[in-house]
Amino acid sequence: MFSAKTEYGLVALVELAAAYASGERLQTGEICGRHGMPERYLEQMLTALRKGGFLVSVRGPRGGYQLTRSPDQITVAEVEDCLERDARSDREDRSRTVEFRVLEGVAQRAQQARRAVLEATTLAHLLLERDSLRQPSPMFYI
């Protein structure tokens, strides 16, 4: 599961990935209009992604955002790391019982498996999945 911050950022990046080959720039309002996102909130995500080196922005009427790298070179793990950088905080290491340590081990293994999936998934993969879901279902007439 992703935080709202990461979800909005990834949705915007999938849109930008679709525009990457043509060199088109997308504006925040355009992306928000397609997905019903609050524009101010998305601007914060895009600013963080720009500072993280994923995007360039151009001001002006023909301005907008573009990816700095090909969609097949940007992983979901990288994006999440960039957007969640400030949100991460380690729990206090109290004197925990063995049961808590067992649960911590399970949580760590689950996190490692999740991380492996995110590191193997690029924006290009997300774009392919999006496009396959957009394909109209074949209709069969009897």
Side-chain angles (χ1 to χ4, degrees), residues 71-130:
D72 63 349
Q73 296 177 345
I74 300 173
T75 69
V76 174
E78 290 178 288
V79 173
E80 185 178 59
D81 288 347
C82 176
L83 292 175
E84 300 297 332
R85 190 170 291 140
D86 298 332
R88 292 208 171 90
S89 64
D90 293 336
R91 290 185 186 187
E92 255 180 61
D93 190 21
R94 300 179 215 124
S95 59
R96 294 183 164 244
T97 64
V98 173
E99 291 80 5
F100 279 107
R101 291 196 323 250
V102 167
L103 292 177
E104 180 69 22
V106 170
Q108 285 177 353
R109 289 191 305 276
Q111 180 59 28
Q112 289 168 351
R114 179 183 185 275
R115 181 73 184 184
V117 169
L118 298 183
E119 286 175 347
T121 305
T122 66
L123 293 181
H125 291 118
L126 296 180
L127 187 57
L128 283 173
E129 286 187 42
R130 181 202 73 172

Side-chain angles (χ1 to χ4, degrees), residues 2-124:
F2 296 107
S3 71
K5 180 189 286 191
T6 297
E7 275 190 353
Y8 284 172
L10 285 169
V11 166
L13 288 175
V14 169
E15 288 285 338
L16 290 163
Y20 180 79
S22 70
E24 180 184 2
R25 289 188 281 269
L26 296 180
Q27 296 181 346
T28 311
E30 205 176 341
I31 297 168
C32 290
R34 290 182 194 153
H35 301 285
M37 298 179 196
E39 194 166 345
R40 291 268 187 217
Y41 193 55
L42 182 61
E43 285 173 357
Q44 292 173 15
M45 303 314 101
L46 295 179
T47 297
L49 291 166
R50 183 183 52 77
K51 289 179 180 177
F54 295 92
L55 303 174
V56 292
S57 62
V58 176
R59 292 182 177 245
R62 294 186 187 267
Y65 289 91
Q66 288 178 307
L67 295 178
T68 57
R69 294 183 276 158
S70 172
D72 63 349
Q73 296 177 345
I74 300 173
T75 69
V76 174
E78 290 178 288
V79 173
E80 185 178 59
D81 288 347
C82 176
L83 292 175
E84 300 297 332
R85 190 170 291 140
D86 298 332
R88 292 208 171 90
S89 64
D90 293 336
R91 290 185 186 187
E92 255 180 61
D93 190 21
R94 300 179 215 124
S95 59
R96 294 183 164 244
T97 64
V98 173
E99 291 80 5
F100 279 107
R101 291 196 323 250
V102 167
L103 292 177
E104 180 69 22
V106 170
Q108 285 177 353
R109 289 191 305 276
Q111 180 59 28
Q112 289 168 351
R114 179 183 185 275
R115 181 73 184 184
V117 169
L118 298 183
E119 286 175 347
T121 305
T122 66
L123 293 181

